[in-house]
Every structure is written in C-alpha cells, then in structure tokens.
C-alpha cells in the first residue's frame, strides 16, 4: 500500500479492519503474516507484533501446519484451490496451545508486483457447541420416548413373560411327576417335557433381552443391518399383549433386500411405534383388524418400510400436523411418538409419510437410504 496522498485512506482502512468482529490476517506468498487485526489478537491470544513477520502456520495445529505451505505453493503453481474463495472449517491454535474450530475464508489480493492472501476467520466454538447440544437433546428425547413407550407396555410385558414362565413351571412339574411315579418307565417323554421347558425359558429370556436392548441408553451407532430381522423384532415388540384382540399380523419382505446402514435400535423404535399406533387405532374397531408390514426396494439407493392397518384412518384434525409434537387424539397420548419417528428417520437421511390406505385404514411409509452419504 502506498503512503502519502493515500495516508487518510490507509488509516481509515486500518480502523475498519481493526473494528471488524472477524479476525483478519494478511499473509504474503510465503505465508508470512503482514497484518493481524484486533479481533485476531483477541482470538489467538497474540499481540500483532508477535505474529507479524512470522509464518501463519504458527496459528494452526498439525496436520494443517504441515499442509499449509503445500497449499500455497500448489495454488501459485497450478491455480488449484483448496480454500480460496470457498471457505472451510479448520482448526486454530492459540498462543496458550489450546485449539478451537474456526471458519476460514481466504481471498487473494493481486498487487502490481506480488500476491497477498487475506484470511477472514470466525471462531465457531459456540456454534459447534450448540449443534452438539441439539444432537444430545435429540438423543435424549428419542430415549425418553422409548422409555415412555416401554412404560405403557410394562403391564402387557409382564403378562407376556408370565406365559412362558408358567409353561416352564408346568412342564418341569409334569416331568418331575412322571419321573417320580412312573418308576422311570418313560424317560423319553419326561425328557421331551424338559426340552419344552427349556425352550420356554429361552423364549422368556429372549423377550427380556429384546427389551433390555430396546430401553438401554445407547450412543447412536450405525451398522449394516438386516432390515427384515430388525423390523420383525420391532413389530413383535409393538404387538406385545395384543394376542387377545384378534389382530392379524403379516410381514412381507421382497426377496434379496440389501443390508442397510442404520441405527438398529432407533429404527426399531420407529417401527414399534407405528405398529403400536396401528394397534391402538383398532382398539374399538368393529371392522377387519390387521396390521401389514411390507418391505421393498424402491430404487437403487432406497428401501421402504410400510406399516398399514385396516382401522378407522387418520382423524381430520391431526392429519395436517401428524408429525408435529404434542398432536394426539388419545386421552393418555403424549403425541410425541410420530415426531420422534420423523426425527429418527430424517436423521437417517430418510422420509416418513402417511396416507389413507386403499380399502380403509392408514398406511405409514418410511423411505430409507441404503447407505447415507
Ligand atoms: P400418541 O400415540 O401419543 O397420540 P403419536 O405421535 O404416535 O402420539 O400419534 C399422534 C396421533 O396420530 C394419534 O393420537 C392418532 O390420532 C394419530 N395416529 C397415529 N397412527 C395412527 C393410525 N395408524 N391410525 C389412525 N390414527 C393414527
């Protein structure tokens, strides 16, 4: 910058740069710092005089530090842009050695005889923290919804467990009596009874295992999962305690469905919820009562889970706001089930929707990407 007639312009520009809320740092072609404004001083903990004349890499931790000289060289040689005019999230290094996330955008300033680069830097620590907090809260909500679903199911589950446990006790008693009184004539039948008892004990154990997994607090964890097994297990959980209500259940899966990259427990929560809603909807229903789950591949990259019921269909007032929280027609309903479902499905990069089922009832559709980008 020339001095003299431009003196006033220069000091005005400096004042503006110093008043900026973003850190502004200018470097030359070798990466040597020429300007370091006030906001940069506050952000990095250095006085301008400590940084000017040094390489800008002092302000970044590894691996950015080692990569930086290469970036500038490559850009000057070939025009390959890593950051110029694009902006990127990188990491800054303070004088005290601590690091913090920043958004950096760089522009190029071509002077008559040389090129300068100006970096505008925003500390995004607070934004990051807010984002992490939102994710945390969402996970908490999802977990609370799961616990509340379980609370509603608790008595039904106690009943469901009672059945195999009673059967275990009956089979074991019958076998014991047989061994006591038959003079051991029929060890074969006794052994069969004991086998049945052990099967029932395993069944009870399986119910408990499913439950424990379902209510446990887990960090979200995605893995390649078998969609049919995932959905089937969840649907069974949703049907717990409904055996006496005369509801027919079917699951149809297209052959050769691919594995999907999902958080299994969360997707199970969605399916359990939809099946439970279907069952609830047909509580006082005189017509046909059936829940039909269908799995299909709808495109090269997406699969669909459909949960249909033959109940009364969606009530008009909830239709438009179905997936919003606290929308419910049930006296004891919280109305958070479907909003949590949407939250989970969308966090998987999928979509959830509802429609009237042809022939009556409701159909919920979940389209899920096989693998998220
Ligand atoms: P809740 O079950 O606590 O009411 P949801 O968000 O799961 O909360 O459901 C919201 C509302 O959507 C229900 O109260 C009900 O009116 C309606 N709904 C959901 N599923 C069905 C269905 N299969 N058939 C009819 N109505 C349904």
């Amino acid at each position: 910058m020339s001095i003299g007639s431009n003196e006033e312009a220069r000091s005005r520009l400096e004042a503006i740069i110093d008043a900026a809320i973003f850190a502004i740092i200018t470097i030359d072609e070798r990466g040597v710092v020429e300007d370091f404004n006030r906001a940069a001083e506050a952000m990095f903990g250095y006085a301008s005089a400590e940084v000017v004349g040094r390489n800008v890499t002092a302000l970044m931790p590894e691996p950015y530090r080692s990569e930086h000289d290469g970036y500038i060289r490559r850009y000057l040689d070939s025009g390959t842009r890593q950051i110029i005019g694009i902006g990127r999230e990188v990491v800054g290094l303070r004088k005290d050695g601590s690091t913090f996330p920043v958004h950096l955008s760089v522009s190029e300033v071509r002077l008559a005889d040389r090129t300068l680069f100006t970096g505008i830097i925003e500390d995004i620590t607070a934004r990051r923290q807010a984002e992490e907090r939102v994710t945390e809260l969402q996970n908490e909500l999802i977990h609370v919804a799961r616990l509340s679903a379980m609370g509603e199911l608790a008595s039904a589950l106690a009943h469901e467990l009672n059945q195999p446990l009673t059967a275990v006790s009956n089979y074991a008693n019958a076998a014991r009596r047989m061994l006591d009184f038959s003079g051991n004539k029929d060890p074969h039948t006794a052994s069969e009874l004991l086998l049945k008892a052990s099967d029932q004990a395993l069944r009870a154990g399986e119910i408990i295992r499913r439950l424990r997994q379902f209510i446990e607090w887990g960090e979200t964890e995605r893995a390649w999962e078998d969609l049919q097994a995932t959905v089937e297990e969840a649907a069974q959980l949703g049907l717990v305690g409904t055996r006496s209500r005369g509801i027919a259940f079917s699951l149809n899966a297209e052959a050769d469905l691919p594995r999907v990259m999902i958080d299994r427990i969360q997707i199970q929560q969605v399916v359990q919820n939809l099946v439970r809603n279907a069952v609830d909807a047909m509580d006082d229903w005189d017509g046909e009562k059936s829940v039909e789950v269908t799995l299909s591949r709808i495109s090269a990259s997406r699969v669909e889970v459909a949960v249909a019921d033959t109940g009364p269909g969606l009530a008009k007032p909830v239709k438009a706001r179905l997936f919003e929280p606290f929308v419910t027609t049930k006296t004891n309903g919280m109305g958070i089930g479907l909003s949590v479902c949407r939250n989970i499905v969308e966090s998987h990069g999928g979509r959830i929707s509802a429609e009237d089922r042809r022939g009556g009832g409701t159909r919920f559709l979940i389209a899920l990407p096989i693998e998220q980008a």
Side-chain angles (χ1 to χ4, degrees):
M1 226 174 270
S2 69
I3 342 173
S5 60
N6 284 336
E7 184 89 37
E8 190 197 324
R10 185 195 162 94
S11 51
R12 188 163 3 148
L13 184 60
E14 273 175 1
I16 290 172
I17 288 176
D18 265 340
I21 54 166
F22 297 120
I24 300 176
I25 301 173
T26 307
I27 60 173
D28 68 12
E29 289 148 300
R30 294 163 303 149
V32 173
V33 176
E34 300 204 347
D35 294 299
F36 197 73
N37 76 340
R38 283 228 187 95
E41 290 182 321
M43 198 177 286
F44 288 90
Y46 284 106
S48 165
E50 293 175 286
V51 183
V52 170
R54 281 175 67 187
N55 199 293
V56 71
T57 52
L59 305 174
M60 45 188 100
E62 290 294 357
Y64 303 97
R65 180 175 291 194
S66 310
E67 288 165 2
H68 192 260
D69 291 338
Y71 283 155
I72 301 188
R73 212 172 319 114
R74 222 167 313 136
Y75 176 68
L76 292 173
D77 289 350
S78 65
T80 315
R81 292 172 176 222
Q82 304 278 353
I83 197 159
I84 293 167
I86 305 169
R88 261 187 17 174
E89 292 195 358
V90 293
V91 180
L93 177 66
R94 296 193 189 92
K95 185 178 180 181
D96 66 9
S98 58
T99 58
F100 59 109
V102 299
H103 182 269
L104 167 65
S105 47
V106 178
S107 51
E108 183 183 4
V109 184
R110 282 192 190 272
L111 302 179
D113 51 343
R114 60 202 195 106
T115 302
L116 297 179
F117 298 100
T118 302
I120 297 182
I121 300 163
E122 181 190 3
D123 183 338
I124 55 171
T125 307
R127 195 200 303 167
R128 275 284 169 77
Q129 279 168 348
E131 283 164 2
E132 275 164 27
R133 186 74 192 122
V134 167
T135 311
E136 243 171 60
L137 283 173
Q138 270 173 349
N139 281 339
E140 267 170 43
L141 175 64
I142 288 170
H143 186 234
V144 166
R146 211 151 65 210
L147 286 181
S148 115
M150 280 299 105
E152 286 164 29
L153 287 182
S155 74
L157 276 162
H159 183 74
E160 184 96 353
L161 279 174
N162 224 9
Q163 275 182 346
L165 292 176
T166 309
V168 168
S169 152
N170 289 345
Y171 285 134
N173 277 331
R176 183 174 51 78
R177 243 175 278 129
M178 203 162 268
L179 292 173
D180 281 353
F181 299 120
S182 64
N184 232 341
K185 270 191 301 227
D186 201 356
H188 187 64
T189 315
S191 138
E192 257 171 27
L193 287 173
L194 288 171
L195 189 65
K196 282 187 176 169
S198 111
D199 280 350
Q200 290 296 318
L202 288 178
R203 194 182 130 204
E206 180 64 16
I207 293 171
I208 294 172
R209 183 192 65 80
R210 277 206 307 247
L211 254 185
R212 280 195 45 186
Q213 276 193 350
F214 192 67
I215 58 178
E216 249 164 35
W217 168 256
E219 286 295 302
T220 54
E221 218 173 76
R222 293 193 183 163
W224 290 106
E225 303 282 357
D226 178 333
L227 188 64
Q228 184 173 350
T230 301
V231 168
E232 193 151 17
E233 207 175 80
Q236 293 303 339
L237 211 50
L239 290 167
V240 157
T242 62
R243 220 166 289 175
S244 57
R245 295 197 215 170
I247 296 171
F249 172 75
S250 65
L251 186 145
N252 298 306
E254 196 177 294
D256 299 325
L257 280 174
R259 284 183 167 264
V260 283
M261 182 53 107
I262 52 170
D263 181 319
R264 183 173 56 85
I265 298 289
Q266 287 192 352
I267 295 299
Q268 288 191 321
Q269 181 173 358
V270 173
V271 174
Q272 188 262 359
N273 219 308
L274 296 182
V275 169
R276 200 70 212 168
N277 276 346
V279 166
D280 286 348
M282 296 187 291
D283 225 5
D284 308 311
W285 183 238
D286 292 330
E288 182 196 346
K289 293 182 176 187
S290 69
V291 178
E292 190 175 80
V293 177
T294 319
L295 309 180
S296 48
R297 186 165 186 160
I298 48 172
S299 74
S301 59
R302 287 167 103 75
V303 290
E304 183 183 74
V305 180
V307 178
D309 66 67
T310 50
L314 296 166
K316 269 245 171 65
V318 300
K319 226 173 191 173
R321 308 193 299 130
L322 201 55
F323 296 98
E324 287 173 26
F326 312 119
V327 171
T328 183
T329 54
K330 301 173 191 172
T331 28
N332 297 321
M334 294 226 291
I336 60 166
L338 289 177
S339 79
V340 167
C341 287
R342 181 172 68 178
N343 207 317
I344 293 174
V345 171
E346 289 181 354
S347 78
H348 278 76
R351 267 182 54 82
I352 185 167
S353 57
E355 58 185 31
D356 295 330
R357 175 180 166 275
R358 227 178 288 157
T362 314
R363 218 159 85 96
F364 280 86
L365 300 170
I366 307 164
L368 281 177
I370 292 165
E371 182 176 18
Q372 296 106 64

